[in-house]
Amino acid sequence: MKEFIIRGLSGIIYIILLISCLYSEQALLILFFVFGIICLMEFKKLIQLKSKIPFFIFIILYGIFGYWQEVLQSNGGLDEATQILMVLTIFVQLFLIKDLFSEKIIPLFSTKRFILTTFYLSSGFVFLVLITNYYPTYNPTILLGTFILVWVNDSFAYLIGKNFGKQKLFEKISPKKTVEGFLGGLFFSCIASYFITTFTLSLGFTSWLIIAIIVSVFGTLGDLVESKFKRQAQVKDSGIIMPGHGGLLDRLDSIIFAAPFIYLFLRILKYVS
């Protein structure tokens, strides 16, 4: 009971902090910068990387692609670079998805560790910020809706998987995840997209439905990818910063992984509209 209360309070504080910062552009940039540094610290421990270089890379990427475009609203000369960053990020993530289907461990030679900290983690936070740049002026509604979809997906995947789950999804990586849980999270995320459309009016129902599918599919894959890294490191959680939950990366792994794919969808949506 005590552990349940601690877990609940920790989760509530996290949600309040996040939502309260969403409606202030500067606060959100600072919050995600701090979150990014913490997640990078946790991830570096998982892959046993002691170098400080990933922190400098994160600051550069976040400063140029996040702050410069978001706050200064300057896309001149950066739009093509952002697209290249998106392609590289998705390319690296597709390789990580491929590694899920291999019984071998994810190879972590020196160069790959820097590639992962750059295009798996650091760029993920950049695209989280850029999602709010879909409109000409700062608008956090799409990002808020995305977080809600992640929470709905995770909650119902857990509840349905715990009560009705029989067929394992990736047993060797995450024994508790089931196919029934995944499908339940996907189903209720799609249902939630209708209510998000009604209350936010930021995008149409079809767009939110597609985002819900992206969140459920790639969010689950992102969770599995982090689980494989933790299994290789022989640890249960990425950190201890959130009592009852583990590390901050444990809470953000889904949305970090899904963010580049959501950003890609928003770019396509803007192009065809």
Side-chain angles (χ1 to χ4, degrees):
M1 184 64 180
K2 182 180 179 181
E3 182 180 351
F4 177 78
I5 294 174
I6 293 174
R7 180 181 176 87
L9 289 174
S10 178
I12 290 171
I13 292 172
Y14 161 71
I15 291 173
I16 292 175
L17 177 63
L18 179 63
I19 293 178
S20 62
C21 289
L22 272 175
Y23 289 91
S24 169
E25 188 174 13
Q26 297 291 345
L28 183 70
L29 285 166
I30 293 171
L31 181 69
F32 279 172
F33 179 80
V34 174
F35 278 5
I37 294 294
I38 294 172
C39 287
L40 193 53
M41 291 172 62
E42 294 177 348
F43 185 62
K44 280 173 74 269
K45 288 183 179 180
L46 290 182
I47 62 175
Q48 298 179 354
L49 179 62
K50 296 181 180 180
S51 174
K52 304 295 183 183
I53 294 176
F55 292 111
F56 293 106
I57 295 175
F58 172 74
I59 292 171
I60 292 171
L61 287 178
Y62 195 81
I64 294 176
F65 292 98
Y67 178 82
W68 186 267
Q69 291 192 84
E70 188 66 28
V71 176
L72 302 183
Q73 294 294 316
S74 176
N75 290 316
L78 285 180
D79 190 57
E80 292 81 3
T82 304
Q83 292 183 57
I84 293 172
L85 179 66
M86 178 185 67
V87 170
L88 290 173
T89 300
I90 291 176
F91 187 74
V92 169
Q93 290 186 340
L94 291 177
F95 266 93
L96 288 173
I97 293 172
K98 177 190 71 68
D99 287 334
L100 290 176
F101 296 90
S102 171
E103 294 185 0
K104 299 178 181 179
I105 64 173
I106 299 176
L108 294 175
F109 49 86
S110 181
T111 304
K112 186 165 185 175
R113 293 180 187 183
F114 287 107
I115 291 174
L116 290 173
T117 55
T118 302
F119 299 109
Y120 163 61
L121 194 63
S122 297
S123 59
F125 279 95
V126 169
F127 290 112
L128 276 179
V129 170
L130 291 181
I131 286 173
T132 64
N133 199 31
Y134 175 74
Y135 296 101
T137 57
Y138 175 76
N139 190 319
T141 55
I142 297 178
L143 187 59
L144 175 60
T146 301
F147 268 102
I148 292 173
L149 289 172
V150 170
W151 296 333
V152 169
N153 179 73
D154 290 350
S155 298
F156 281 97
Y158 171 77
L159 290 172
I160 293 175
K162 183 178 180 181
N163 292 286
F164 305 102
K166 293 182 180 180
Q167 185 175 349
K168 301 298 182 181
L169 190 61
F170 275 90
E171 187 172 9
K172 293 183 178 180
I173 298 175
S174 185
K176 294 182 179 180
K177 279 188 169 51
T178 63
V179 173
E180 293 83 358
F182 166 72
L183 293 176
L186 174 61
F187 175 77
F188 282 100
S189 294
C190 292
I191 296 297
S193 67
Y194 169 77
F195 294 99
I196 292 173
T197 305
T198 303
F199 287 105
T200 64
L201 300 176
S202 53
L203 295 171
F205 172 64
T206 302
S207 297
W208 274 117
L209 184 62
I210 294 173
I211 291 176
I213 295 171
I214 293 173
V215 164
S216 184
V217 173
F218 290 101
T220 300
L221 289 170
D223 192 12
L224 287 168
V225 166
E226 199 228 351
S227 293
K228 188 159 187 175
F229 280 119
K230 289 190 292 185
R231 186 164 290 273
Q232 286 186 207
Q234 297 182 338
V235 296
K236 181 182 178 182
D237 300 313
S238 64
I240 57 173
I241 194 170
M242 292 184 66
H245 291 268
L248 189 60
L249 184 57
D250 294 326
R251 301 278 62 80
L252 293 171
D253 55 0
S254 297
I255 197 165
I256 290 172
F257 201 85
F261 295 95
I262 296 171
Y263 180 76
L264 173 61
F265 168 67
L266 292 174
R267 285 194 69 97
I268 294 172
L269 191 64
K270 183 180 289 187
Y271 177 76
V272 299
S273 61

